[in-house]
Amino acid sequence: MITSAISQALRTRGDERAVLCRIGAGGGVLDELASLRLRPDDLLLDLGTHPVGEPVLPGGGTGGDGGRPAVGLVAVVAASLTDLRRAVTLAAHLPRAVHLLVAVAHIPGHHGGLAPSPPGIEEWNDLHELRVRRAEKGGWVCELFFPSGTDVAPALAAVFHGGRGRRRGPGSGIRAGLHGPQAHLWSPGDPEATPVGPVGPVPLIRVTPAADLVLRTEEGASLPLWEDVAVPALDRSTTGADSWESRVDTDGPAAALKVRGPDPVSAVAPIDERLVNPMGFNKRTKGPVADLTVDGSRAVIRTDGDVLVTVPADGGLTDVDLDRIRDLRVVRVDWSGHAGPAAAVRAVASLAAGGVPLVSGPVPAWAAGLGQPLTDLLTSAEEEDMLDGLAREEHSIRLRRAALRAHGRRTRWRALAEEAGIPVVPDPLVSVVLCTRRPDLVGFALAQVARQRHVRFEVVLALHGFSASLPPVEEAVRGFSALGHAITVHEADGDKVFGAVMNEAVDRASGTVVAKWDDDDWYGPEHLSDLMLSRAYSGADVVGISQNFTYLQELDLTVWRSYRSEFPNAQVVGSTILTDRVVLEDVGGFRPLPRAIDSQFLLAVRQAGGRIYRTHGLGYLLRRAGAGHTWEVDLGYFLRNHTKQWSGWRPNSLMEGEAEPLGRAAPHTEHSGGHS
């Protein structure tokens, strides 16, 4: 289907020139492009190997429009969505296209198709025709026709984001300039990344440089002196320059990774967290065991003699690669040989960010680019531990946290900016909105919030029908403030319905992100940061968790139900909802109802075309007492279809126990039984 679509496009493009591009691992439809009948002035281009900063066609510039010529057809064929994201960055070199054909050879089922989302007001008024089709073997084809031509990079970004939700994820706040081979790996999916020459200058947008920071890559030879005094530049080696072959005459494979900066992590190209992430995580524990090892000259993931994935030479795995190994119970990391230190680090970091359970022997010194937290985690579990479903998921979550925080694109560019002395935008402020009718639980609830880490937060405490001057409330608020956390207290009329009080609380919030919080449930110390990570990689308007752990207070019993997680789904726990404030504004806030405001909010988001994502549920434990819940179901609901149960209060290890209530201890917090 993909090859046929391109053949048809070549026949109908008239007398105009065609540029056919491919990117991603070779094989199948990607190699078939070379067999098509092309005219002498047509161009067949491997985007993945094209150095950033070098024009594709004669007369083409390196930034902005740059005098780029227009052609009748541009076709971009990617092996995966990850490769399509890389093509977005490289497409700044491509000419404007009257007919743009975008094809992806395989898209995993948990992703959407290639139906584009228009980029902005009036930008696509010239769109004449749009076609979207499924292709064989999970592929998709999208064709767009613009009589006056269109810029390829923003159009590719629009095609990608159409199937991935309206939100494009938080940016780094740094406009990137790129030069050199593999430079696109440093800023995948960025249509605003500016190609530059080896010495500059950075192109201007009117009177302002198009980039804040330039990242130059080198393949062994030293780069010339950077000449643009207005924009700083940092240099990094490609994975090819860091291969073992290039180092055998110096310090050999046992040497530590060479870096120019103080942090070896910042020497490694980041992973693309929008696609290399835990989405599609499989909780099965009966799958096979595989090895990340070497087969000939290439790193592979192999089980029982079968090669499941051939790791790209640069070490960057794709969403398709992750989809192929989701059924594996665990992957053992073999450090005996890889393409080189940087490629090996990128491969392991990609697997960890994808939530793939990994185990390893001692990590060699040359893999310091992983970062110490991830290095420690690789050796913290044994293969036998992965036979237990809960232990396997806990290990996966720890790995993905460490990898996404250390190796995500946003994290890397903020670190590069700090190295170059460029100020970075503060992390988003999360406003935790807590509405309660129970003064004796205020100290308990605030203690849960106070121990959150890896996130900036404030609290808006809505007291529904009672005064902040009550001793337990006053003491708890004072204790929370003494820890250095910001808190706003709102005394709401007890006659107002729950939804109205929540809207009043949101109105008093200062953050751009709002998180809903219950007064009597337990939250792990990384609950908010996990939600913020999933907000970044899912592109969803709302994120929340599945209801996995429940403490049945009447029975003194903890129940675990291993629900599916890490996929788009509207069934999330109301007390774990996290969303951008603008989303609340888009749907008119919470409905003024006494109960069911969470389900009604989620319904409104879906009706407005929003995307809801369910991440893992191991950082939250629901308390179920006898009465007083807005969600009324009997205890049998929690006892049916459970995976495991324990006597007493038994949180999983990611909960890290419980916090001591602030102020006067509340009697409702008493429990018995086991501990993590």
Side-chain angles (χ1 to χ4, degrees):
M1 165 82 70
I2 293 177
T3 306
S4 299
I6 296 176
S7 296
Q8 177 65 23
L10 288 170
R11 289 192 294 269
T12 59
R13 44 78 184 252
D15 297 329
E16 299 178 82
R17 191 176 190 179
V19 177
L20 308 186
C21 308
R22 60 184 179 186
I23 185 167
V29 68
L30 300 178
D31 290 342
E32 292 174 11
L33 294 182
S35 66
L36 295 173
R37 299 180 62 181
L38 302 177
R39 298 173 184 169
D41 64 341
D42 291 338
L43 178 65
L44 180 61
L45 178 67
D46 188 340
L47 271 181
T49 60
H50 185 79
V52 180
E54 295 186 9
V56 169
L57 298 177
T62 59
D65 281 340
R68 288 175 298 154
V71 298
L73 171 67
V74 172
V76 178
V77 182
S80 67
L81 285 173
T82 307
D83 296 306
L84 180 60
R85 288 261 295 171
R86 295 170 182 166
V88 172
T89 303
L90 291 159
H93 291 300
L94 297 178
R96 289 171 60 85
V98 173
H99 180 185
L100 174 61
L101 187 152
V102 186
V104 178
H106 181 75
I107 298 179
H110 55 267
H111 291 305
L114 289 184
S117 173
I121 299 174
E122 297 184 353
E123 292 183 32
W124 277 15
N125 283 357
D126 190 40
L127 179 63
H128 181 70
E129 186 177 352
L130 169 66
R131 302 175 188 167
V132 179
R133 290 170 284 174
R134 281 186 181 272
E136 66 278 358
K137 298 180 181 179
W140 283 81
V141 178
C142 177
E143 297 182 76
L144 305 100
F145 298 83
F146 293 87
S148 300
T150 189
D151 290 327
V152 173
L156 288 180
V159 170
F160 170 80
H161 287 291
R164 298 282 291 135
R166 297 181 301 178
R167 288 190 63 258
R168 304 197 173 202
S172 65
I174 307 297
R175 291 287 293 265
L178 302 173
H179 172 82
Q182 291 190 356
H184 64 286
L185 299 179
W186 289 81
S187 193
D190 184 2
E192 297 180 342
T194 301
V196 299
V199 299
V202 173
L204 297 179
I205 302 176
R206 297 181 180 176
V207 296
T208 305
D212 303 310
L213 172 63
V214 172
L215 192 289
R216 302 191 301 174
T217 57
E218 56 182 349
E219 188 82 65
S222 297
L223 287 163
L225 182 67
W226 179 251
E227 298 178 358
D228 192 329
V229 297
V231 180
L234 296 175
D235 296 345
R236 292 294 187 268
S237 298
T238 64
T239 55
D242 194 46
S243 66
W244 295 129
E245 288 77 7
S246 67
R247 300 174 57 174
V248 291
D249 58 346
T250 56
D251 38 2
L257 184 62
K258 291 181 178 179
V259 297
R260 299 185 179 185
D263 183 4
V265 176
S266 69
V268 182
I271 58 176
D272 184 0
E273 63 263 49
R274 286 303 306 273
L275 287 161
V276 181
N277 59 52
M279 190 177 293
F281 175 72
N282 193 323
K283 297 191 177 187
R284 292 178 61 241
T285 59
K286 296 183 179 179
V289 176
D291 294 283
L292 174 62
T293 185
V294 174
D295 185 1
S297 61
R298 299 296 297 273
V300 299
I301 298 175
R302 182 173 59 198
T303 181
D304 297 330
D306 296 327
V307 173
L308 302 178
V309 169
T310 299
V311 179
D314 59 37
L317 295 172
T318 69
D319 56 305
V320 173
D321 296 329
L322 290 174
D323 190 56
R324 289 173 179 157
I325 60 175
R326 284 299 182 197
D327 288 336
L328 296 177
R329 184 198 321 155
V330 63
V331 172
R332 297 176 295 218
V333 180
D334 174 13
W335 298 103
S336 61
H338 290 277
V345 166
R346 294 194 77 227
V348 174
S350 296
L351 290 169
V356 177
L358 302 174
V359 295
S360 167
V363 178
W366 55 256
L370 284 170
Q372 198 60 49
L374 187 52
T375 298
D376 293 341
L377 286 170
L378 289 171
T379 58
S380 67
E382 301 292 337
E383 181 182 332
E384 293 74 19
D385 298 334
M386 302 301 104
L387 291 169
D388 180 89
L390 181 56
R392 178 178 179 271
E393 187 172 3
E394 289 171 341
H395 184 55
S396 165
I397 292 168
R398 291 189 176 100
L399 287 169
R400 70 185 73 159
R401 286 172 174 172
L404 289 168
R405 286 181 187 136
H407 294 278
R409 173 179 169 269
R410 182 174 185 271
T411 298
R412 185 70 82 254
W413 275 94
R414 289 167 68 85
L416 292 173
E418 291 180 358
E419 182 180 336
I422 299 174
V424 296
V425 177
D427 287 327
L429 176 65
V430 180
S431 294
V432 176
V433 177
L434 168 61
C435 178
T436 178
R437 284 187 176 274
R438 297 176 282 196
D440 57 330
L441 282 178
V442 171
F444 171 85
L446 290 181
Q448 304 295 313
V449 184
R451 68 174 184 157
Q452 298 300 299
R453 56 182 181 241
H454 304 304
V455 66
R456 293 176 62 224
F457 64 87
E458 66 168 8
V459 168
V460 179
L461 175 63
L463 307 178
H464 197 178
F466 59 92
S467 172
S469 63
L470 293 177
V473 177
E474 188 175 28
E475 292 179 19
V477 171
R478 186 186 306 114
F480 187 82
S481 299
L483 295 173
H485 305 307
I487 183 169
T488 299
V489 180
H490 168 53
E491 297 181 5
D493 191 333
D495 293 334
K496 289 185 177 180
V497 295
F498 182 35
V501 176
M502 282 296 299
N503 288 329
E504 291 177 354
V506 171
D507 184 59
R508 288 160 172 78
S510 302
T512 56
V513 180
V514 175
K516 195 167 176 292
W517 204 274
D518 262 13
D519 58 4
D520 63 342
D521 298 330
W522 290 272
Y523 296 80
E526 300 198 25
H527 168 75
L528 285 179
S529 60
D530 284 342
L531 291 177
M532 291 296 284
L533 282 176
S534 64
R535 169 181 174 268
Y537 62 69
S538 70
D541 300 273
V542 179
V543 294
I545 70 163
S546 57
Q547 196 278 299
N548 282 25
F549 276 85
T550 306
Y551 174 62
L552 304 176
Q553 189 163 298
E554 286 185 296
L555 303 179
D556 192 23
L557 191 70
T558 301
V559 177
W560 174 42
R561 295 183 298 171
S562 184
Y563 286 134
R564 182 186 173 192
S565 62
E566 300 298 349
F567 74 116
N569 189 275
Q571 301 300 317
V572 298
V573 180
S575 51
T576 68
I577 287 174
L578 182 140
T579 187
D580 285 29
R581 187 185 184 118
V582 68
V583 176
L584 277 164
E585 295 172 354
D586 286 346
V587 300
F590 294 101
R591 289 186 64 186
L593 300 172
R595 56 175 53 86
I597 66 168
D598 301 328
S599 59
Q600 289 298 305
F601 166 70
L602 296 172
L603 177 62
V605 170
R606 294 185 66 190
Q607 290 175 336
R611 181 183 178 93
I612 303 168
Y613 185 82
R614 180 199 287 181
T615 189
H616 77 86
L618 301 194
Y620 171 81
L621 198 160
L622 173 73
R623 183 203 304 267
R624 196 69 190 179
H629 298 280
T630 56
W631 178 34
E632 294 294 348
V633 292
D634 59 34
L635 293 180
Y637 173 86
F638 300 98
L639 294 172
R640 290 189 293 269
N641 302 319
H642 66 274
T643 304
K644 193 178 291 187
Q645 66 182 38
W646 301 268
S647 296
W649 185 77
R650 201 282 192 185
N652 67 82
S653 64
L654 297 184
M655 295 292 295
E656 300 184 23
E658 65 173 330
E660 185 70 24
L662 296 173
R664 298 183 180 181
H668 291 75
T669 64
E670 294 177 359
H671 54 77
S672 60
H675 54 82
S676 59

